[in-house]
Amino acid sequence: MKRLTIFLMTIIIAIIILAGLKGLVSAKMNTGGDENTLIIYNWGDYIDPELLTKFEEETGYYVIYETFDSNEAMETKISQGGTRYDLVFPSESIIPKMIDKNLLLPLDHEKIIGFDQLSDFLLDQEFDEKNQYTIPYFWGTVGIMVNTKEFPLDQIKSWKDLWNPTLNNEILLMDGARESIGMALQSLGMSLNETDADQLQQASKHLANLMPNTKAILTDEIKTLMINGEASIGIGYSGDAAYVASQNPDIEYVLPKDGSAVWTDNFAIPSTMKNEEGAYAFINFMLRSENAKQNAEYVEYATPNEAAKKLLDVEVTTNKALYPDPEDLQNVEHYQYLGLEMMNEYNELFLNIKMGL
């Protein structure tokens, strides 16, 4: 009985200690914690964990790392307040909205070391002119993965080729309104940032006509199905396509001739921050060429850091899925934030198309 009592007391004490630690972490995240704590909010599996450890060892900062799965979820959490973040990684399409809502702080470029190493063509874009609030973290395009055992590459060069009746039930479409409706818009010679109601209706009807060729509308499952050879054609991001091709050499990535989207995910400091010095320290740490190289090798997406790119294996930098030739980027567009009302219109149009699949 005495042993049982001691055992139970030990469990109770352990629970109390764990609860106290949990409360301490929660208090740090909500009240700002001590000045040595840096709280980062990023996409899932989007940084080499070894770099977080290296940063902590070099600087003495303690990193709390949280993840999100959509720009909307991230923006909502920051808008609600309560949980403070010192550094966040928004995609370009959500940045104007966050700026308008005063959710991001202007960057002090004098505190940033390595900005001059970033790719010029990704800087000073309409969503953040002169990079007042953000700087690129990773970048890529949207295109077509083709299983060359099933279809020769010369058969699929553009978005419009996907409407060929010979591709019946062959295509995996991305479950994203901007990506899929944008694809239909560009196939018709329009902008993927179109806001004209008549042209959106035209693109919507055109996309609905692609449904006989559409096998499924998915997200991450596209990668698995393409790797396993269970689908012949998949729409996806260039980084995902590069990974798929590394697992299945029959897969080739096509950047459509009639247009594509170029996107960036970006460093930004939210207005909830409590550790500005730590945020700049982390940005500068990640901009160091050797660290940016290591991160690119882990994430397997394209780095915007030209100095880091020079350190990568030539087989990586010559991979056209990750690093297309400049002439192949002539018809690409950056996603623009179109406003809540227009985004609801895109989502409603795409939902109606999915319901008809």
Side-chain angles (χ1 to χ4, degrees):
M1 184 66 180
K2 184 176 179 180
R3 290 181 180 178
L4 178 60
T5 301
I6 294 174
F7 177 71
L8 290 174
M9 289 180 65
T10 302
I11 292 177
I12 291 170
I13 291 171
I15 291 173
I16 292 173
I17 292 173
L18 288 173
L21 290 173
K22 184 177 180 181
L24 179 60
V25 172
S26 178
K28 280 187 175 183
M29 294 191 67
N30 287 288
T31 66
D34 62 70
E35 61 183 12
N36 289 326
T37 300
L38 182 69
I39 306 177
I40 297 174
Y41 202 26
N42 198 359
W43 297 87
D45 199 26
Y46 213 30
I47 194 170
D48 186 344
E50 292 184 2
L51 288 171
L52 297 177
T53 302
K54 181 181 177 181
F55 174 76
E56 290 180 322
E57 292 173 348
E58 282 191 11
T59 64
Y61 286 111
Y62 170 64
V63 175
I64 296 174
Y65 191 85
E66 283 202 345
T67 63
F68 55 86
D69 58 10
S70 74
N71 281 298
E72 292 72 23
M74 174 271 298
E75 183 267 326
T76 298
K77 193 166 186 180
I78 293 178
S79 295
Q80 291 173 343
T83 302
R84 138 244 165 159
Y85 294 103
D86 299 308
L87 199 62
V88 70
F89 294 80
S91 301
E92 59 188 40
S93 60
I94 200 74
I95 288 171
K97 180 181 180 182
M98 297 184 74
I99 294 173
D100 288 344
K101 295 178 67 174
N102 296 316
L103 297 179
L104 300 180
L105 294 180
L107 295 174
D108 184 347
H109 283 226
E110 292 187 359
K111 295 182 178 179
I112 298 174
I113 302 171
F115 182 84
D116 57 340
Q117 299 176 164
L118 299 175
S119 307
D120 287 340
F121 75 95
L122 296 173
L123 302 177
D124 194 21
Q125 296 298 320
E126 185 174 345
F127 66 88
D128 182 17
E129 294 180 355
K130 298 182 180 180
N131 295 92
Q132 297 178 71
Y133 295 88
T134 65
I135 59 174
Y137 176 65
F138 277 116
W139 74 281
T141 57
V142 178
I144 309 168
M145 292 176 275
V146 181
N147 187 324
T148 56
K149 286 185 66 175
E150 303 295 331
F151 296 99
L153 280 180
D154 59 3
Q155 185 176 341
I156 302 171
K157 297 181 179 180
S158 304
W159 291 128
K160 62 182 179 181
D161 294 332
L162 300 180
W163 275 260
N164 189 321
T166 62
L167 303 183
N168 182 65
N169 198 39
E170 296 286 358
I171 301 170
L172 299 177
L173 203 61
M174 287 182 71
D175 191 6
R178 289 300 302 274
E179 291 86 353
S180 293
I181 293 179
M183 174 188 73
L185 285 163
Q186 288 184 320
S187 74
L188 295 170
M190 304 175 190
S191 169
L192 57 75
N193 296 305
E194 187 57 65
T195 58
D196 180 82
D198 290 338
Q199 292 191 330
L200 283 175
Q201 285 293 334
Q202 183 180 349
S204 176
K205 292 178 181 178
H206 189 49
L207 186 59
N209 290 335
L210 186 65
M211 291 305 102
N213 288 2
T214 301
K215 188 182 190 73
I217 299 176
L218 303 168
T219 50
D220 287 342
E221 299 90 344
I222 291 177
K223 291 185 291 185
T224 302
L225 292 173
M226 294 298 296
I227 289 171
N228 294 337
E230 298 176 52
S232 302
I233 298 171
I235 312 304
Y237 297 115
S238 53
D240 291 339
Y243 172 74
V244 169
S246 72
Q247 304 300 306
N248 184 344
D250 294 325
I251 305 300
E252 295 282 350
Y253 180 70
V254 176
L255 193 63
K257 301 290 186 183
D258 44 4
S260 178
V262 60
W263 54 266
T264 56
D265 292 325
N266 306 271
F267 295 98
I269 300 178
S271 55
T272 58
M273 72 88 193
K274 298 294 183 182
N275 191 347
E276 182 177 10
E277 183 178 338
Y280 280 108
F282 190 80
I283 291 172
N284 293 337
F285 174 84
M286 294 303 296
L287 288 180
R288 278 165 39 189
S289 57
E290 69 274 16
N291 293 336
K293 166 189 176 285
Q294 181 178 333
N295 204 32
E297 290 174 334
Y298 176 86
V299 177
E300 297 185 325
Y301 271 42
T303 177
N305 191 315
E306 294 294 333
K309 184 178 174 182
K310 293 177 181 178
L311 301 177
L312 291 167
D313 291 340
V314 65
E315 65 182 30
V316 174
T317 56
T318 55
N319 185 334
K320 300 306 181 185
L322 289 174
Y323 301 99
D325 294 327
E327 57 268 25
D328 294 331
L329 295 173
Q330 296 301 310
N331 292 329
V332 301
E333 298 178 83
H334 286 267
Y335 287 114
Q336 298 174 10
Y337 177 63
L338 305 180
L340 181 60
E341 182 177 349
M342 187 54 58
M343 283 308 305
N344 288 338
E345 178 68 15
Y346 268 77
N347 290 334
E348 184 175 349
L349 289 171
F350 190 51
L351 178 61
N352 290 336
I353 292 169
K354 290 196 294 182
M355 290 176 64
L357 180 61

